Amino acid sequence: MFTAAIAGASGYAGGEILRLLLAHPQFEIGAVCASSNAGSLLGEHQPQLSALADRQLEPTTPDVLAGHDVVFLALPHGASAALVEQLPDDTVVIDCGADFRLRDAGDWESFYGTPFAGTWPYGLPELPRADGSRGRDDLAGAPRIAVPGCYPTAISLALAPGLAAGVIEPHDLVVVAASGTSGAGRSLKPHLLGAEVMGAMSPYGVGGGHRHTPEIVQNLSAAAGSRVGVSFTPTLAPMPRGILATCTARLRKGVEPEAVRAAWVDTYAGEPFVQVLPSGRWPSTGAVLGSNVVQLQLAVDESVGRVIVSAAEDNLTKGTAGGAVQCANLALGLPETTGLPLAGVAP
Protein backbone atom coordinates (compact mmCIF):
# COMPACT_ATOMS: atom_id res chain seq x y z
CA MET A 1 0.00 0.00 0.00
CA PHE A 2 1.08 3.59 -0.72
CA THR A 3 0.04 6.54 1.41
CA ALA A 4 -1.27 9.65 -0.34
CA ALA A 5 -1.79 13.21 0.85
CA ILE A 6 -4.05 15.60 -1.03
CA ALA A 7 -3.55 19.36 -0.94
CA GLY A 8 -6.59 21.31 -2.09
CA ALA A 9 -8.95 18.60 -0.86
CA SER A 10 -11.92 20.95 -0.51
CA GLY A 11 -11.91 21.92 -4.20
CA TYR A 12 -13.37 20.15 -7.22
CA ALA A 13 -10.12 18.55 -8.39
CA GLY A 14 -9.12 17.53 -4.88
CA GLY A 15 -12.52 15.96 -4.27
CA GLU A 16 -12.28 14.01 -7.52
CA ILE A 17 -8.82 12.70 -6.60
CA LEU A 18 -10.22 11.50 -3.29
CA ARG A 19 -13.16 9.80 -5.02
CA LEU A 20 -10.78 7.84 -7.22
CA LEU A 21 -8.37 6.97 -4.42
CA LEU A 22 -11.22 5.54 -2.34
CA ALA A 23 -11.64 2.89 -5.05
CA HIS A 24 -7.91 2.34 -5.61
CA PRO A 25 -6.64 -0.95 -4.16
CA GLN A 26 -3.08 0.27 -3.63
CA PHE A 27 -3.62 3.66 -1.94
CA GLU A 28 -4.34 4.60 1.63
CA ILE A 29 -5.56 8.18 2.04
CA GLY A 30 -3.45 10.13 4.52
CA ALA A 31 -3.62 13.86 5.15
CA VAL A 32 -6.36 15.86 3.47
CA CYS A 33 -5.35 19.51 3.35
CA ALA A 34 -6.81 22.89 2.53
CA SER A 35 -5.95 26.56 2.91
CA SER A 36 -8.84 28.79 3.98
CA ASN A 37 -10.97 25.73 4.80
CA ALA A 38 -8.40 24.16 7.12
CA GLY A 39 -9.96 23.13 10.44
CA SER A 40 -13.35 22.25 8.98
CA LEU A 41 -14.60 18.76 8.20
CA LEU A 42 -14.19 17.39 4.69
CA GLY A 43 -17.87 16.40 4.64
CA GLU A 44 -18.85 20.06 4.72
CA HIS A 45 -17.21 20.53 1.32
CA GLN A 46 -17.34 17.05 -0.26
CA PRO A 47 -20.63 15.50 0.95
CA GLN A 48 -20.38 12.84 -1.76
CA LEU A 49 -17.34 11.35 0.03
CA SER A 50 -19.21 9.85 2.97
CA ALA A 51 -16.34 7.53 3.93
CA LEU A 52 -14.16 10.57 4.59
CA ALA A 53 -16.80 12.98 5.88
CA ASP A 54 -15.39 13.11 9.43
CA ARG A 55 -11.83 13.84 8.33
CA GLN A 56 -10.62 17.26 9.47
CA LEU A 57 -8.91 19.35 6.82
CA GLU A 58 -5.34 20.06 7.86
CA PRO A 59 -3.23 23.10 6.92
CA THR A 60 -1.31 22.82 3.67
CA THR A 61 2.22 22.79 5.06
CA PRO A 62 5.35 20.80 4.20
CA ASP A 63 5.31 19.17 7.64
CA VAL A 64 1.79 17.81 7.12
CA LEU A 65 2.49 16.60 3.57
CA ALA A 66 5.89 15.05 4.30
CA GLY A 67 5.99 11.37 5.23
CA HIS A 68 3.58 10.26 2.49
CA ASP A 69 4.60 8.19 -0.51
CA VAL A 70 2.67 10.46 -2.89
CA VAL A 71 1.46 14.04 -2.62
CA PHE A 72 -1.26 15.23 -4.98
CA LEU A 73 -1.36 19.00 -5.39
CA ALA A 74 -4.71 20.43 -6.49
CA LEU A 75 -3.81 24.05 -5.87
CA PRO A 76 -4.31 27.35 -7.73
CA HIS A 77 -1.81 28.01 -10.50
CA GLY A 78 1.41 29.40 -9.09
CA ALA A 79 0.95 27.93 -5.61
CA SER A 80 2.77 24.63 -6.06
CA ALA A 81 6.35 25.70 -6.73
CA ALA A 82 7.19 27.17 -3.32
CA LEU A 83 5.60 24.24 -1.51
CA VAL A 84 7.39 21.59 -3.56
CA GLU A 85 10.80 23.07 -2.72
CA GLN A 86 10.19 22.05 0.91
CA LEU A 87 9.10 18.45 0.25
CA PRO A 88 11.53 15.49 0.43
CA ASP A 89 13.11 14.38 -2.83
CA ASP A 90 11.87 10.80 -2.33
CA THR A 91 8.22 11.89 -2.19
CA VAL A 92 6.40 11.47 -5.50
CA VAL A 93 4.63 14.75 -6.25
CA ILE A 94 1.80 14.90 -8.79
CA ASP A 95 0.90 18.52 -9.57
CA CYS A 96 -2.51 19.25 -11.07
CA GLY A 97 -1.67 22.95 -11.45
CA ALA A 98 0.11 24.60 -14.34
CA ASP A 99 3.35 25.47 -12.51
CA PHE A 100 5.60 22.89 -14.20
CA ARG A 101 3.82 22.11 -17.49
CA LEU A 102 5.47 24.57 -19.85
CA ARG A 103 9.00 24.34 -21.23
CA ASP A 104 9.27 27.96 -22.36
CA ALA A 105 9.83 30.53 -19.62
CA GLY A 106 8.54 33.31 -21.86
CA ASP A 107 5.25 31.51 -22.38
CA TRP A 108 4.82 31.03 -18.64
CA GLU A 109 5.58 34.64 -17.78
CA SER A 110 3.37 35.93 -20.60
CA PHE A 111 0.30 33.85 -19.71
CA TYR A 112 0.68 33.52 -15.92
CA GLY A 113 2.60 36.64 -14.91
CA THR A 114 4.84 35.07 -12.26
CA PRO A 115 8.46 33.81 -12.28
CA PHE A 116 9.04 30.57 -14.17
CA ALA A 117 9.51 27.58 -11.82
CA GLY A 118 10.86 25.05 -14.31
CA THR A 119 9.57 22.00 -16.16
CA TRP A 120 8.63 18.51 -14.95
CA PRO A 121 7.85 15.37 -16.97
CA TYR A 122 4.52 15.99 -18.65
CA GLY A 123 1.77 13.61 -17.59
CA LEU A 124 -0.08 12.70 -20.77
CA PRO A 125 0.91 9.04 -21.23
CA GLU A 126 -0.92 8.43 -24.51
CA LEU A 127 0.48 11.45 -26.37
CA PRO A 128 2.28 10.33 -29.56
CA ARG A 129 5.42 12.24 -30.48
CA ALA A 130 7.20 12.73 -33.79
CA ASP A 131 10.15 10.55 -32.78
CA GLY A 132 7.87 7.54 -32.22
CA SER A 133 7.87 7.79 -28.43
CA ARG A 134 4.89 8.40 -26.14
CA GLY A 135 4.39 10.62 -23.15
CA ARG A 136 4.49 7.65 -20.78
CA ASP A 137 8.13 7.03 -21.68
CA ASP A 138 9.06 9.91 -19.35
CA LEU A 139 6.81 8.91 -16.46
CA ALA A 140 7.84 5.48 -15.17
CA GLY A 141 9.55 6.06 -11.83
CA ALA A 142 9.42 9.86 -12.16
CA PRO A 143 9.42 11.58 -8.73
CA ARG A 144 7.75 14.73 -10.07
CA ILE A 145 5.00 14.87 -12.72
CA ALA A 146 2.99 17.80 -14.10
CA VAL A 147 -0.59 16.82 -14.95
CA PRO A 148 -1.93 18.40 -18.17
CA GLY A 149 -4.69 20.95 -18.26
CA CYS A 150 -8.19 19.70 -19.05
CA TYR A 151 -8.49 21.37 -22.47
CA PRO A 152 -4.97 20.31 -23.58
CA THR A 153 -5.73 16.69 -22.69
CA ALA A 154 -8.72 16.46 -25.03
CA ILE A 155 -7.32 18.66 -27.80
CA SER A 156 -3.84 17.13 -27.83
CA LEU A 157 -5.15 13.58 -27.99
CA ALA A 158 -7.60 14.63 -30.71
CA LEU A 159 -5.05 16.11 -33.13
CA ALA A 160 -1.69 14.51 -32.28
CA PRO A 161 -2.18 11.27 -34.28
CA GLY A 162 -2.74 13.14 -37.52
CA LEU A 163 0.34 15.31 -36.97
CA ALA A 164 2.58 12.41 -35.96
CA ALA A 165 1.45 10.40 -39.00
CA GLY A 166 1.81 13.38 -41.35
CA VAL A 167 -1.77 13.24 -42.67
CA ILE A 168 -2.74 16.77 -41.60
CA GLU A 169 -1.01 20.12 -42.01
CA PRO A 170 0.47 21.68 -38.86
CA HIS A 171 -0.05 25.34 -39.68
CA ASP A 172 -3.85 25.78 -39.65
CA LEU A 173 -5.29 23.99 -36.62
CA VAL A 174 -8.60 25.38 -35.37
CA VAL A 175 -10.27 24.33 -32.12
CA VAL A 176 -13.57 25.37 -30.57
CA ALA A 177 -14.27 23.64 -27.27
CA ALA A 178 -17.03 23.79 -24.68
CA SER A 179 -16.39 23.17 -20.99
CA GLY A 180 -18.56 22.78 -17.93
CA THR A 181 -18.34 25.34 -15.15
CA SER A 182 -16.25 23.16 -12.80
CA GLY A 183 -13.27 23.88 -15.04
CA ALA A 184 -13.08 27.33 -13.46
CA GLY A 185 -12.68 25.95 -9.94
CA ARG A 186 -14.85 26.34 -6.87
CA SER A 187 -14.25 29.98 -6.01
CA LEU A 188 -17.29 32.20 -6.26
CA LYS A 189 -17.37 34.14 -9.53
CA PRO A 190 -20.37 36.21 -10.70
CA HIS A 191 -20.25 34.92 -14.29
CA LEU A 192 -20.53 31.33 -13.01
CA LEU A 193 -23.68 31.88 -10.96
CA GLY A 194 -26.55 29.60 -11.93
CA ALA A 195 -28.63 32.55 -13.12
CA GLU A 196 -25.84 33.56 -15.51
CA VAL A 197 -24.99 30.11 -16.84
CA MET A 198 -28.31 28.28 -17.15
CA GLY A 199 -29.70 28.36 -20.67
CA ALA A 200 -26.69 30.20 -22.07
CA MET A 201 -23.33 29.62 -23.71
CA SER A 202 -20.55 32.17 -24.03
CA PRO A 203 -16.98 32.33 -25.34
CA TYR A 204 -14.00 33.47 -23.29
CA GLY A 205 -10.25 33.74 -23.73
CA VAL A 206 -10.88 34.58 -27.40
CA GLY A 207 -8.02 35.49 -29.73
CA GLY A 208 -5.33 33.27 -28.25
CA GLY A 209 -5.74 34.58 -24.71
CA HIS A 210 -6.55 31.36 -22.86
CA ARG A 211 -3.77 30.09 -20.60
CA HIS A 212 -3.94 26.60 -22.06
CA THR A 213 -2.97 27.84 -25.53
CA PRO A 214 0.84 27.53 -25.12
CA GLU A 215 0.40 24.07 -23.58
CA ILE A 216 -1.67 22.91 -26.54
CA VAL A 217 0.92 24.32 -28.96
CA GLN A 218 3.73 22.62 -27.01
CA ASN A 219 2.05 19.20 -27.15
CA LEU A 220 1.04 19.35 -30.78
CA SER A 221 4.45 20.65 -31.82
CA ALA A 222 6.00 17.60 -30.13
CA ALA A 223 3.68 15.39 -32.18
CA ALA A 224 4.40 17.22 -35.44
CA GLY A 225 8.15 17.56 -34.96
CA SER A 226 7.93 21.28 -35.71
CA ARG A 227 6.04 24.26 -34.34
CA VAL A 228 2.33 24.24 -35.10
CA GLY A 229 -0.20 27.05 -35.39
CA VAL A 230 -3.36 26.74 -33.28
CA SER A 231 -6.41 28.99 -33.02
CA PHE A 232 -8.20 28.00 -29.80
CA THR A 233 -11.58 29.35 -28.72
CA PRO A 234 -13.02 28.02 -25.44
CA THR A 235 -16.69 28.38 -24.55
CA LEU A 236 -18.59 27.98 -21.29
CA ALA A 237 -21.47 25.49 -21.41
CA PRO A 238 -24.39 25.21 -18.95
CA MET A 239 -23.25 21.92 -17.42
CA PRO A 240 -21.20 21.20 -14.28
CA ARG A 241 -18.53 19.00 -15.88
CA GLY A 242 -17.34 17.79 -19.26
CA ILE A 243 -15.48 19.02 -22.33
CA LEU A 244 -16.48 18.66 -25.97
CA ALA A 245 -13.74 19.82 -28.34
CA THR A 246 -14.23 20.23 -32.09
CA CYS A 247 -10.81 20.26 -33.74
CA THR A 248 -10.14 20.80 -37.45
CA ALA A 249 -7.04 20.70 -39.62
CA ARG A 250 -6.15 20.87 -43.30
CA LEU A 251 -5.82 17.48 -44.96
CA ARG A 252 -2.32 17.09 -46.33
CA LYS A 253 -2.30 17.06 -50.12
CA GLY A 254 -2.39 13.58 -51.64
CA VAL A 255 -3.65 11.82 -48.48
CA GLU A 256 -6.66 9.57 -49.01
CA PRO A 257 -9.56 9.70 -46.49
CA GLU A 258 -9.06 6.02 -45.61
CA ALA A 259 -5.54 6.76 -44.42
CA VAL A 260 -6.82 9.44 -42.08
CA ARG A 261 -8.95 7.18 -39.91
CA ALA A 262 -6.23 4.54 -39.92
CA ALA A 263 -3.79 7.04 -38.36
CA TRP A 264 -6.02 7.52 -35.32
CA VAL A 265 -7.05 3.88 -34.98
CA ASP A 266 -3.47 2.66 -35.20
CA THR A 267 -2.17 5.28 -32.78
CA TYR A 268 -4.62 4.41 -30.03
CA ALA A 269 -4.85 0.64 -30.51
CA GLY A 270 -4.23 -0.80 -27.06
CA GLU A 271 -4.75 2.51 -25.25
CA PRO A 272 -7.52 1.78 -22.72
CA PHE A 273 -8.28 5.41 -21.93
CA VAL A 274 -8.57 6.70 -25.51
CA GLN A 275 -11.47 5.30 -27.51
CA VAL A 276 -11.81 5.91 -31.25
CA LEU A 277 -15.52 5.23 -31.71
CA PRO A 278 -16.92 3.09 -34.52
CA SER A 279 -17.82 4.99 -37.66
CA GLY A 280 -21.12 6.82 -37.33
CA ARG A 281 -20.97 7.23 -33.53
CA TRP A 282 -19.98 10.61 -32.13
CA PRO A 283 -18.62 11.49 -28.69
CA SER A 284 -20.84 12.84 -25.93
CA THR A 285 -19.86 14.38 -22.62
CA GLY A 286 -22.60 12.31 -20.98
CA ALA A 287 -20.99 9.08 -22.14
CA VAL A 288 -17.67 9.80 -20.38
CA LEU A 289 -19.03 11.33 -17.18
CA GLY A 290 -16.98 10.07 -14.24
CA SER A 291 -14.67 7.95 -16.42
CA ASN A 292 -10.98 8.28 -17.20
CA VAL A 293 -11.71 8.05 -20.93
CA VAL A 294 -11.45 10.37 -23.91
CA GLN A 295 -13.80 9.44 -26.74
CA LEU A 296 -12.84 10.45 -30.28
CA GLN A 297 -14.48 10.44 -33.70
CA LEU A 298 -13.30 11.94 -36.96
CA ALA A 299 -14.46 12.74 -40.45
CA VAL A 300 -12.97 14.15 -43.63
CA ASP A 301 -14.80 17.06 -45.25
CA GLU A 302 -13.55 16.54 -48.78
CA SER A 303 -15.36 19.63 -50.09
CA VAL A 304 -12.94 21.89 -48.19
CA GLY A 305 -10.06 19.47 -47.58
CA ARG A 306 -10.30 19.45 -43.80
CA VAL A 307 -10.24 16.77 -41.11
CA ILE A 308 -12.67 17.20 -38.20
CA VAL A 309 -11.98 15.44 -34.90
CA SER A 310 -14.46 15.52 -32.04
CA ALA A 311 -13.26 14.71 -28.49
CA ALA A 312 -15.24 14.29 -25.27
CA GLU A 313 -13.87 13.93 -21.75
CA ASP A 314 -14.82 14.57 -18.16
CA ASN A 315 -12.66 17.57 -17.30
CA LEU A 316 -12.47 16.55 -13.63
CA THR A 317 -11.60 12.88 -14.27
CA LYS A 318 -9.42 12.24 -17.33
CA GLY A 319 -8.89 15.99 -17.62
CA THR A 320 -7.47 16.34 -14.09
CA ALA A 321 -7.83 13.85 -11.23
CA GLY A 322 -7.93 10.66 -13.29
CA GLY A 323 -4.91 11.81 -15.22
CA ALA A 324 -3.17 12.48 -11.90
CA VAL A 325 -3.88 8.98 -10.55
CA GLN A 326 -2.84 7.46 -13.90
CA CYS A 327 0.49 9.30 -13.60
CA ALA A 328 0.91 8.19 -9.99
CA ASN A 329 0.41 4.58 -11.09
CA LEU A 330 3.20 4.95 -13.62
CA ALA A 331 5.50 6.71 -11.19
CA LEU A 332 5.07 3.94 -8.62
CA GLY A 333 5.38 1.02 -11.04
CA LEU A 334 1.72 0.00 -10.77
CA PRO A 335 -0.38 -1.09 -13.76
CA GLU A 336 -1.45 2.12 -15.43
CA THR A 337 -5.18 1.33 -15.25
CA THR A 338 -5.28 0.47 -11.54
CA GLY A 339 -8.21 2.06 -9.73
CA LEU A 340 -9.40 4.06 -12.75
CA PRO A 341 -12.93 3.76 -14.18
CA LEU A 342 -13.42 2.95 -17.86
CA ALA A 343 -17.21 3.18 -17.74
CA GLY A 344 -19.10 6.43 -17.55
CA VAL A 345 -22.24 7.26 -15.58
CA ALA A 346 -25.46 7.80 -17.54
CA PRO A 347 -27.93 9.35 -17.74
Side-chain angles (χ1 to χ4, degrees), residues 270-316:
E271 291 287 358
F273 298 126
V274 185
Q275 299 173 354
V276 181
L277 298 176
S279 297
R281 281 176 48 197
W282 288 88
S284 162
T285 57
V288 296
L289 182 67
S291 77
N292 197 54
V293 169
V294 176
Q295 286 189 348
L296 301 176
Q297 185 57 277
L298 61 148
V300 177
D301 186 343
E302 296 185 66
S303 65
V304 292
R306 293 193 75 86
V307 177
I308 301 95
V309 187
S310 181
E313 72 173 13
D314 186 324
N315 60 295
L316 290 179

Side-chain angles (χ1 to χ4, degrees), residues 142-196:
R144 302 285 191 267
I145 296 176
V147 178
C150 51
Y151 279 125
T153 296
I155 294 165
S156 301
L157 294 176
L159 288 173
L163 293 165
V167 299
I168 57 176
E169 298 284 358
H171 59 270
D172 184 18
L173 307 174
V174 179
V175 179
V176 178
S179 175
T181 56
S182 61
R186 204 165 195 169
S187 300
L188 294 176
K189 303 177 180 71
H191 73 286
L192 298 179
L193 293 172
E196 302 291 333

